[in-house]
Amino acid sequence: MITILILGLVGGICLVGWLAIAIIIGTSRAQKKAIANAPKILDDAFNGDADVVFKINMESLPFETVVLGAKERGYRLASQSHQTDHAQTLIFERIG
């Protein structure tokens, strides 16, 4: 009986570990895809509107890439939320 309980516990720990690894790999792939498509993502977001809201998370472009890309497209970072649950909201203003 104790053996079955121990095996079940070990199996559960292994399952949780595999799920965590799968999530990390999926997130990494999503961010790599976003980075590869950065020019299009940034062009679509910073399309001439007066204000732009951009959400940063583990699957999106990195913070630095977004801020520098916005600057290149004539925007400046006006406000940002505190990072919560691995997400952050950035608000940009068009310059000039």
Side-chain angles (χ1 to χ4, degrees):
M1 181 68 173
I2 292 178
T3 305
I4 293 172
L5 183 62
I6 291 172
L7 288 175
L9 183 61
V10 170
I13 291 170
C14 289
L15 180 62
V16 169
W18 281 108
L19 288 173
I21 290 170
I23 289 170
I24 290 168
I25 289 171
T27 300
S28 176
R29 285 183 183 161
Q31 189 173 55
K32 285 179 184 177
K33 184 177 178 183
I35 291 169
N37 294 318
K40 179 173 179 3
I41 292 169
L42 293 170
D43 287 343
D44 290 347
F46 301 100
N47 60 7
D49 293 341
D51 297 309
V52 174
V53 176
F54 201 99
K55 302 239 184 221
I56 301 286
N57 59 40
M58 292 172 42
E59 296 177 353
S60 71
L61 292 171
F63 176 87
E64 296 81 6
T65 302
V66 174
V67 173
L68 292 174
K71 183 178 177 184
E72 291 172 0
R73 290 161 177 81
Y75 287 83
R76 72 174 184 86
L77 181 61
S79 178
Q80 67 187 71
S81 67
H82 294 287
Q83 187 169 353
T84 58
D85 297 331
H86 304 289
Q88 188 173 21
T89 301
L90 309 177
I91 300 174
F92 294 89
E93 295 176 335
R94 183 136 180 88
I95 300 170

